[in-house]
Coordinates of all heavy atoms in Angstrom, one line a residue:
S60 N 63.2 52.5 50.0 CA 63.4 51.6 51.3 C 63.0 50.1 51.0 O 63.1 49.3 51.9 CB 62.4 52.2 52.3 OG 61.1 52.1 52.0
R61 N 62.7 49.8 49.8 CA 62.4 48.4 49.4 C 63.7 47.6 49.4 O 64.7 48.1 49.0 CB 61.7 48.2 48.1 CG 60.3 48.8 48.2 CD 59.5 48.5 46.9 NE 60.2 49.2 45.9 CZ 60.2 48.8 44.6 NH1 59.5 47.8 44.1 NH2 60.9 49.5 43.6
V62 N 63.7 46.4 49.7 CA 64.7 45.5 49.5 C 64.7 44.8 48.1 O 63.7 44.2 47.8 CB 64.8 44.4 50.7 CG1 66.0 43.4 50.4 CG2 64.9 45.0 51.9
L63 N 65.6 45.1 47.3 CA 65.6 44.7 45.9 C 66.3 43.3 46.0 O 67.3 43.1 46.6 CB 66.2 45.7 45.0 CG 65.5 47.1 44.9 CD1 66.4 47.9 44.1 CD2 64.1 46.9 44.4
P64 N 65.9 42.4 45.0 CA 66.7 41.1 44.8 C 68.1 41.4 44.4 O 68.4 42.2 43.5 CB 65.8 40.4 43.8 CG 65.1 41.3 43.1 CD 64.8 42.5 44.0
S65 N 69.0 40.6 44.9 CA 70.4 40.9 44.7 C 70.8 40.4 43.3 O 71.8 40.8 42.8 CB 71.2 40.3 45.7 OG 71.1 38.9 45.7
G66 N 70.1 39.4 42.7 CA 70.5 38.8 41.4 C 71.8 38.0 41.5 O 72.5 37.9 40.5
D67 N 72.0 37.5 42.7 CA 73.3 36.8 42.8 C 73.0 35.2 42.8 O 73.8 34.5 43.3 CB 74.0 37.1 44.1 CG 73.4 36.9 45.4 OD1 72.1 36.6 45.2 OD2 73.9 37.1 46.4
E68 N 71.9 34.8 42.3 CA 71.5 33.4 42.2 C 72.6 32.8 41.1 O 72.9 33.5 40.2 CB 70.1 33.1 41.9 CG 69.6 33.7 40.5 CD 69.0 35.1 40.6 OE1 68.8 35.5 41.7 OE2 68.9 35.7 39.6
P69 N 72.9 31.6 41.3 CA 73.9 31.0 40.4 C 73.2 30.8 38.9 O 72.0 30.7 38.8 CB 74.2 29.7 40.9 CG 73.3 29.4 42.1 CD 72.6 30.8 42.4
I70 N 74.1 30.8 37.9 CA 73.6 30.6 36.6 C 74.2 29.3 36.1 O 75.4 29.2 36.2 CB 73.7 31.7 35.7 CG1 73.2 31.4 34.3 CG2 75.2 32.1 35.5 CD1 72.9 32.6 33.4
V71 N 73.5 28.4 35.6 CA 74.0 27.1 35.0 C 73.9 27.2 33.5 O 72.7 27.3 33.0 CB 73.1 26.0 35.6 CG1 73.7 24.6 35.0 CG2 73.2 25.9 37.1
L72 N 75.0 26.9 32.9 CA 75.1 26.9 31.4 C 75.2 25.4 30.9 O 76.1 24.8 31.3 CB 76.1 27.7 30.8 CG 76.3 29.1 31.2 CD1 77.6 29.8 30.9 CD2 75.0 29.9 30.8
V73 N 74.1 24.8 30.2 CA 74.1 23.4 29.9 C 74.4 23.3 28.3 O 73.9 23.9 27.6 CB 72.7 22.8 30.1 CG1 72.8 21.3 29.8 CG2 72.4 23.0 31.6
D74 N 75.5 22.6 28.0 CA 75.9 22.3 26.7 C 74.8 21.5 25.9 O 74.5 20.4 26.4 CB 77.2 21.6 26.7 CG 77.8 21.3 25.3 OD1 77.2 21.7 24.2 OD2 79.0 20.8 25.2
A75 N 74.2 22.1 24.9 CA 73.2 21.4 24.1 C 73.6 21.1 22.7 O 72.9 21.0 21.8 CB 71.9 22.4 24.0
S76 N 74.9 20.6 22.6 CA 75.5 20.2 21.3 C 75.2 18.7 21.0 O 74.9 18.0 22.0 CB 76.9 20.5 21.1 OG 77.6 19.7 22.1
L77 N 75.4 18.3 19.9 CA 75.0 16.9 19.6 C 76.0 15.9 20.4 O 75.7 14.7 20.7 CB 75.2 16.6 18.1 CG 74.1 17.2 17.3 CD1 74.4 17.0 15.7 CD2 72.8 16.4 17.6
S78 N 77.2 16.4 20.7 CA 78.1 15.5 21.4 C 77.6 15.2 22.9 O 78.1 14.3 23.5 CB 79.5 16.2 21.6 OG 79.4 17.3 22.3
M79 N 76.6 15.9 23.4 CA 76.0 15.6 24.6 C 74.9 14.6 24.7 O 74.2 14.4 25.6 CB 75.5 17.0 25.2 CG 76.5 17.9 25.6 SD 77.3 17.3 27.1 CE 76.1 17.6 28.4
S80 N 74.6 14.1 23.4 CA 73.5 13.3 23.3 C 73.6 11.9 24.1 O 74.8 11.4 24.3 CB 73.3 12.7 21.8 OG 72.9 13.9 21.0
G81 N 72.6 11.4 24.6 CA 72.6 10.1 25.3 C 72.9 10.3 26.8 O 72.3 11.1 27.5
A82 N 73.8 9.6 27.5 CA 74.1 9.6 28.8 C 74.6 10.9 29.3 O 74.2 11.3 30.4 CB 75.1 8.4 29.2
P83 N 75.4 11.6 28.7 CA 75.9 12.9 29.2 C 74.7 13.9 29.2 O 74.6 14.7 30.3 CB 76.9 13.4 28.1 CG 77.4 12.2 27.4 CD 76.2 11.3 27.4
W84 N 73.7 13.9 28.3 CA 72.6 14.8 28.4 C 71.7 14.5 29.6 O 71.3 15.4 30.3 CB 71.8 14.6 27.2 CG 70.6 15.6 27.1 CD1 69.3 15.2 27.2 CD2 70.7 17.1 27.2 NE1 68.6 16.4 27.2 CE2 69.3 17.4 27.2 CE3 71.7 18.0 27.1 CZ2 68.9 18.8 27.2 CZ3 71.3 19.3 27.1 CH2 70.0 19.7 27.1
G85 N 71.6 13.1 29.9 CA 70.8 12.7 31.0 C 71.5 13.2 32.3 O 70.7 13.7 33.2
A86 N 72.7 13.1 32.4 CA 73.4 13.5 33.7 C 73.3 15.0 33.8 O 73.2 15.6 34.9 CB 74.8 13.0 33.6

């Protein structure tokens, strides 16, 4: 009878490669 969390929160995947250095990484 408990309400379980749905697990439908969004997931954000952030690119952490060297091409993201500088301004793209900050944004």
Side-chain angles (χ1 to χ4, degrees):
S60 66
R61 290 184 301 156
V62 176
L63 298 174
S65 64
D67 61 352
E68 63 269 347
I70 182 163
V71 179
L72 305 173
V73 181
D74 188 350
S76 65
L77 288 173
S78 66
M79 288 287 289
S80 296
W84 180 249

